Amino acid sequence: MAMRANIFNENFLNEADQDANTVLIELDKGLRSAKIGEQCEAIIRFPKLFEKYPFPILINSSFLKLAELFRIGSNLSRLWILRVCQQSEKHLEKIVNVEEFVKRIFMVIHSNDPVARALTLRTIGAVACVIPEKEQVHHAIRNALDSSRIEIEAAIFASVNFAAQSKSFAIGMCSKVASMIESLQTPVNMKILLIPVLRYMYHDANTAALVRSLCCNLLPNYPSEQFVIAIIRSLSHLSYVTCVDIPDQVDLLLEYVKDPRKRIQFAVLCSLNKVAEKGAHLWPKGSINKLLKMTMQCSYPSMALDIMVTLTACPTTCHTMINDERNQILDVCEACLLLDHNIGGKALTILTRLVSYCHTEDISAPTCFTDYLNMNLEYLIYTAFLTKKTFK
C-alpha cells in the first residue's frame, strides 16, 4: 500500500519553480503545524530560503515568524531556530523590526524552564551583531552567570559574542568574569569556557592591562594543557588587536614553545605567526634568535619556518636578520634541507626574501646567502614545481 505523501514535503520539493512568497507561505504552514516534526522541518529550510531570496522584506518577515514560534514553541523548535540564527548570521542585519524580533525571543528568558532560558541566552548571543548595546540583554546575561550550570554555559556563549560587539558590555563584564575565574568555587572546566571572553576586553587600555595581568597570573597556577592553550590564545588575540603588549607576548610565547606538549606547541606557533603578521616590527631584540634556536627542536619545524617567512615581510625584521642572525639563519636552512621538500622549500624562501629585501633597499646581499641559493637552485625549482603540482 502506497504511503500518503506529505503535502508540505511535496510543496517544498518544488520550490525551484515557486516564487519567494509562495515558498514562505508553505514554510509558514509548516511553522503553524501541530506536529513538532513538521515545525522543525520548516525551520531548517529557512537558511536555504535566505540564500536563494536574500530580500530584506522576506528575511524580516521570516525572522519575526521564527521569533514568534520561539516564544510559544517547544525547546526542540527553539534549538533549531538557534541553528538558523547561527547559519544565517550574514542576513541578520536585514531584519527591519529588530526590537520586535528580540522582544519575542527575550520573553522566554522569564520561563521557569532552565533549558528554555539557556536556549534564549544562546539565541540572543547568536544575534548579538544586531543588538550589541541592548542593556536589558546585558543585564540578563550577567545575571545568568549566577544561575544553573546549563544557563552559565549559555551565558558564557552569549558573553563571548557580545564582548566582541559591545565596548560597554566588555568593560562592564571584565570584573565579573575575572572574579569568577579567580574564585575557588568556579569549576576548572567553567574557567576554561570563561577565558575566551577575555580576548575581547581590548576596548579600554586599563581593562586590557587588567586582563593581561589576570591571565599571566593564572598560567603558573593552572598548567593543564587546555587552560594554557585557552590563555595563550586569548592573550595573543588581545595583543594582536591592541599592538600594545606584543613584545611581552612574544617573550611569553617563546617560553611556552619549549613546552614538550605538542598541542601547546601548536597553539603557541599559531599565535606567534598571528602576532608576526601585524607586529613584526615590535618583536623584542633577541626574539628571532630564540625562534631560530627552537626551529629544529620543536615538534613543528615547518610552522616555525612559516613564522620566519611572515617576519620577512617586515623590512625592519629583514634588517635584523641579515645583520644579527645571518649565520644562524644559514645553519637552520642547511638543517632544513635535510628534511622533507616542504620544509626545505620554506627555508630557501626565507633566504630568497632576504636577498630580495637587499635588492629593494639597494644594498649588497650577503654573499653566503646568494651562494647558498645558487648552489640549491635546482632544489628550489624542484620544490616550486612540486608545490605547483600539489595546487593543481
Side-chain angles (χ1 to χ4, degrees):
M1 181 178 176
M3 293 183 65
R4 184 178 178 181
N6 185 297
I7 297 175
F8 173 70
N9 282 339
E10 282 185 346
N11 288 334
F12 206 91
L13 286 172
N14 296 323
E15 69 169 276
D17 303 323
Q18 299 172 339
D19 60 20
N21 289 331
T22 306
V23 175
L24 185 58
I25 290 171
E26 294 300 329
L27 290 178
D28 189 39
K29 288 180 182 177
L31 295 180
R32 295 174 184 274
S33 173
K35 298 179 180 178
I36 187 66
E38 290 186 5
Q39 282 185 1
C40 294
E41 191 172 358
I43 293 168
I44 63 176
R45 306 287 187 181
F46 276 94
K48 185 178 178 182
L49 177 69
F50 297 154
E51 290 298 320
K52 189 171 183 180
Y53 305 105
F55 310 130
I57 295 176
L58 181 141
I59 289 172
N60 182 69
S61 176
S62 298
F63 272 112
L64 288 177
K65 293 178 187 297
L66 290 172
E68 181 60 23
L69 180 59
F70 190 95
R71 184 180 70 84
I72 63 175
S74 65
N75 284 339
L76 181 59
S77 62
R78 289 176 182 134
L79 175 62
W80 287 114
I81 291 170
L82 165 61
R83 294 286 181 263
V84 170
C85 292
Q86 291 174 325
Q87 293 174 24
S88 307
E89 184 179 1
K90 65 180 180 180
H91 297 296
L92 292 174
E93 61 184 17
K94 297 172 186 174
I95 301 175
V96 180
N97 303 107
V98 175
E99 289 294 328
E100 184 61 29
F101 169 70
V102 175
K103 179 183 175 182
R104 295 180 187 183
I105 290 176
F106 195 70
M107 288 177 71
V108 186
I109 202 71
H110 304 295
S111 169
N112 292 326
D113 181 3
V115 176
R117 294 196 299 268
L119 287 168
T120 303
L121 288 166
R122 288 184 178 273
T123 305
I124 290 295
V127 300
C129 59
V130 294
I131 51 166
E133 303 298 340
K134 200 164 185 63
E135 293 184 3
Q136 186 182 12
V137 174
H138 294 182
H139 182 70
I141 294 171
R142 188 182 181 91
N143 287 344
L145 289 172
D146 297 318
S147 302
S148 61
R149 178 185 175 86
I150 189 172
E151 288 181 77
I152 292 175
E153 291 181 357
I156 292 172
F157 170 82
S159 296
V160 171
N161 290 350
F162 270 92
Q165 301 287 341
S166 170
K167 176 181 178 179
S168 60
F169 180 83
I171 294 174
M173 286 292 290
C174 183
S175 58
K176 175 66 175 177
V177 173
S179 63
M180 288 184 69
I181 291 175
E182 291 178 323
S183 173
L184 297 176
Q185 296 179 347
T186 307
V188 173
N189 60 337
M190 198 71 74
K191 292 182 180 183
I192 293 173
L193 293 175
L194 280 165
I195 287 172
V197 181
L198 299 175
R199 70 174 61 188
Y200 299 107
M201 306 293 183
Y202 51 73
H203 303 284
D204 175 77
N206 292 331
T207 305
L210 177 65
V211 168
R212 180 165 188 86
S213 175
L214 169 66
C215 289
C216 289
N217 290 335
L218 288 172
L219 273 173
N221 296 328
Y222 296 93
S224 69
E225 188 176 85
Q226 282 183 302
F227 219 101
V228 171
I229 290 173
I231 292 176
I232 281 174
R233 286 176 175 169
S234 294
L235 283 175
S236 297
H237 182 79
L238 209 60
S239 299
Y240 176 82
V241 174
T242 61
C243 289
V244 174
D245 297 305
I246 284 182
D248 292 337
Q249 183 62 15
V250 170
D251 286 336
L252 178 69
L253 292 172
L254 288 173
E255 283 299 314
Y256 273 89
V257 81
K258 301 173 186 176
D259 194 299
R261 290 170 290 186
K262 289 188 176 182
R263 286 190 62 203
I264 291 180
Q265 284 190 20
F266 185 88
V268 167
L269 291 170
C270 286
S271 295
L272 276 170
N273 203 358
K274 184 176 182 179
V275 173
E277 287 176 6
K278 192 172 182 179
H281 60 289
L282 297 173
W283 278 43
K285 187 176 182 180
S287 56
I288 296 175
N289 183 277
K290 292 179 183 177
L291 179 61
L292 286 167
K293 287 180 179 177
M294 291 303 301
T295 297
M296 303 309 297
Q297 298 175 18
C298 69
S299 302
Y300 303 98
S302 180
M303 293 180 68
L305 290 173
D306 284 335
I307 299 169
M308 297 299 298
V309 171
T310 303
L311 288 171
T312 55
C314 174
T316 305
T317 310
C318 288
H319 180 80
T320 302
M321 288 181 178
I322 291 170
N323 288 281
D324 300 339
E325 313 296 346
R326 183 182 306 181
N327 294 331
Q328 195 166 354
I329 288 174
L330 205 58
D331 291 341
V332 169
C333 289
E334 288 177 355
C336 288
L337 286 176
L338 300 176
L339 302 176
D340 62 58
H341 292 296
N342 181 42
I343 294 176
K346 288 179 181 179
L348 292 178
T349 299
I350 294 169
L351 291 181
T352 305
R353 288 197 172 193
L354 291 175
V355 171
S356 176
Y357 161 78
C358 292
H359 288 300
T360 303
E361 297 295 321
D362 198 23
I363 57 178
S364 299
T367 307
C368 58
F369 284 5
T370 54
D371 289 347
Y372 197 78
L373 284 171
N374 289 332
M375 186 171 60
N376 292 280
L377 187 60
E378 184 178 341
Y379 183 95
L380 188 61
I381 295 171
Y382 178 67
T383 304
F385 174 76
L386 284 180
T387 305
K388 187 176 180 181
K389 192 174 181 180
T390 303
F391 280 118
K392 284 184 178 180

